[in-house]
Amino acid sequence: MVLGTDTRVLTLAFARMADALGNSFLIIVLPLYIASGQVSLAGIAGQQVLGLTLQTETLIGLVLSLFGLLNSFGQPFTGRLSDRTGRRRIFVLIGLVLFAIGSAAYPFLSSYWTVLAARAFQGIGAAFTIPATVALVNDYAASDAERGGNFGVFNTFRLIGFGFGPIIAGVVITGGLAANDVVTYRFAGTAISGFTAAFAVAVLGAVVSFALVWALIQDPPFEAEAGKDLSIAILDRDGEGLDSVFVLGVGTFMMASTIALFATLEGPVRMRLDESTLFFSVQFAAVVIANVVFQVPIGRASDRFGRRPFIVGGFVILVPSVFAQGIVTGPWLMLLARFVQGIAVALVFAPSLALAGDLAGARGSGTTLSVLTMAFGLGVAIGPLASGLLYNFGSFSTPFTAGAALAFVGLVLTYSQVEETLDLGQGSDQPAPQD
């Protein structure tokens, strides 16, 4: 144990941080790379498809969203397969290899379709890595009293990688915080563009993750956990309400969608608030920063006081914090709203994973937890697209009002359908009866 956390969980947390840093690099780098002219859009950009003109921005959005969609929809299959075989570690390693190959390929690709294929390749890799990694974190919990803390630590490191990756990517591409042009590096007499250097860092993140998992992680004792059924239970076993894991998945999707609304609206936000690109970046990162600060204490508190109060409280805070982003008129108020939203996300996510882990049982931890990780990835993928559409058909506040409405639905569902899993009257070692 280090800092009260299983060293294997810390290893997975560090590995996921390196992997998340590499992936967040690409979220920043790929749009710039495609728009730079180094990727040919001939015969694609400007074409009409179903009445929609394929502009460069549309094509970039497709590349970014495809990763999330393949990642999300692949997770139930890989999560179930890891449960049936009991081999988590190999799934993590396969996914990291696929991700590294995709990152290494980008500098050699010159057409849009090959870039799209490489990103799809990485989405499939993430579908292997994520559910198996989260299942290992759950498996390593010695008791239910450690599960929330484990997920708090794991999510904190993951978010550090995801949050700081874009900042580092900008520095690598331009060669400095104040620069705007793509820099050229000299290495052993060879000229390397900032784009190539950024792709190399993404590869390095996957390699570091692979090395950590290969050297320090072993599969727990095998017990076949999952059957052949790939369906997700919607009703609980007594048929009187909705299944708690399904409800948490729906709530996680709604929560993740509200996080992703902001990214699409950089231009309108900066114009409305009369702010710089740097201040917008700080506002965007505020949700991640709040998560980094609060994930561990909230996760450990949920081990002591129960999962449900934190989840419900998170949605209570999420509703006004998202709605406020559509009506504030000052940059500092927007920053505050984003930070409060980050606190709400921290209140929801780690306790939700812990509650789902409590209920995994015969369902299989990989299968059960993939419902939440799939929902989160799907929300992050769909949120930006929905935000752009809602903004075009409404006003500046429309996407945030819709996001607040989604958060309210999540609040109603979790309050009415999710039951506590820890028997706090008899200690936290065993989950309370559920289904």
Side-chain angles (χ1 to χ4, degrees):
M1 301 285 285
V2 177
L3 300 177
T5 303
D6 191 318
T7 54
R8 296 170 299 178
V9 173
L10 283 175
T11 299
L12 289 169
F14 276 112
R16 192 71 182 96
M17 179 180 71
D19 179 45
L21 186 145
N23 185 43
S24 65
F25 250 64
L26 298 179
I27 293 174
I28 299 298
V29 175
L30 284 177
L32 297 174
Y33 189 60
I34 294 171
S36 70
Q38 298 191 49
V39 176
S40 174
L41 303 179
I44 306 173
Q47 297 297 311
Q48 292 278 334
V49 177
L50 300 176
L52 176 68
T53 301
L54 295 179
Q55 303 291 350
T56 301
E57 292 76 14
T58 307
L59 297 173
I60 290 171
L62 179 59
V63 168
L64 297 180
S65 295
L66 182 63
F67 174 90
L69 293 172
L70 289 175
N71 168 22
S72 299
F73 288 118
Q75 286 188 38
F77 297 93
T78 56
R80 178 58 61 99
L81 191 57
S82 77
D83 284 338
R84 296 187 65 190
T85 62
R87 302 184 66 189
R88 317 283 194 201
R89 179 172 174 265
I90 190 63
F91 281 79
V92 177
L93 295 175
I94 289 172
L96 291 171
V97 168
L98 294 177
F99 186 87
I101 291 173
S103 297
Y106 287 122
F108 305 100
L109 305 179
S110 58
S111 74
Y112 175 76
W113 294 116
T114 54
V115 170
L116 191 68
R119 194 58 174 159
F121 204 62
Q122 292 183 306
I124 295 170
F128 274 87
T129 298
I130 293 174
T133 305
V134 174
L136 280 170
V137 173
N138 184 68
D139 293 341
Y140 288 153
S143 69
D144 295 318
E146 293 181 5
R147 187 167 284 117
N150 280 0
F151 280 117
V153 170
F154 177 78
N155 283 327
T156 295
F157 281 95
R158 177 182 64 85
L159 289 165
I160 289 173
F162 185 79
F164 288 96
I167 299 173
I168 300 173
V171 173
V172 171
I173 292 172
T174 63
L177 289 172
N180 293 313
D181 297 327
V182 178
V183 72
T184 298
Y185 296 96
R186 295 283 176 180
F187 181 76
T190 303
I192 300 175
S193 76
F195 287 126
T196 300
F199 293 135
V201 173
V203 174
L204 180 62
V207 170
V208 170
S209 296
F210 185 97
L212 288 170
V213 174
W214 177 270
L216 300 173
I217 297 299
Q218 297 296 327
D219 288 318
F222 172 58
E223 294 181 10
E225 292 182 309
K228 297 180 179 180
D229 186 12
L230 278 171
S231 63
I232 297 173
I234 297 177
L235 300 177
D236 63 16
R237 292 181 181 179
D238 60 18
E240 297 180 357
L242 297 175
D243 181 74
S244 291
V245 175
F246 171 76
V247 172
L248 290 174
V250 173
T252 299
F253 168 79
M254 294 174 174
M255 176 194 70
S257 298
T258 67
I259 298 173
L261 293 173
F262 195 72
T264 307
L265 304 176
E266 177 179 357
V269 168
R270 290 179 55 203
M271 182 179 298
R272 176 182 174 87
L273 304 182
D274 190 23
E275 65 184 22
S276 66
T277 299
L278 177 60
F279 206 92
F280 177 86
S281 300
V282 174
Q283 291 167 343
F284 182 82
V287 172
V288 175
I289 293 170
N291 269 272
V292 168
V293 172
F294 291 102
Q295 277 278 335
V296 173
I298 288 173
R300 288 179 174 162
S302 76
D303 290 333
R304 294 186 59 193
F305 304 110
R307 323 294 192 198
R308 185 175 178 274
F310 292 94
I311 299 170
V312 173
F315 278 108
V316 168
I317 297 173
L318 187 64
V319 174
S321 66
V322 174
F323 180 77
Q325 294 171 46
I327 60 175
V328 297
T329 56
W332 288 101
L333 289 175
M334 180 66 83
L335 180 63
L336 176 62
R338 292 285 295 174
F339 189 82
V340 172
Q341 182 184 8
I343 297 174
V345 172
L347 284 165
V348 171
F349 200 43
S352 291
L353 284 169
L355 193 150
D358 295 339
L359 294 175
R363 308 183 191 195
S365 54
T367 304
T368 304
L369 295 169
S370 71
V371 174
L372 271 65
T373 55
M374 175 187 71
F376 189 90
L378 199 58
V380 170
I382 291 178
L385 298 176
S387 178
L389 290 173
L390 290 169
Y391 177 77
N392 289 331
F393 289 108
S395 62
F396 177 83
S397 63
T398 303
F400 299 106
T401 302
L406 279 179
F408 181 76
V409 173
L411 170 61
V412 173
L413 285 174
T414 53
Y415 181 82
S416 62
Q417 301 297 320
V418 174
E419 299 180 12
E420 183 56 64
T421 53
L422 296 185
D423 187 353
L424 300 176
Q426 301 177 14
S428 301
D429 290 336
Q430 299 295 329
Q434 287 297 301
D435 295 322

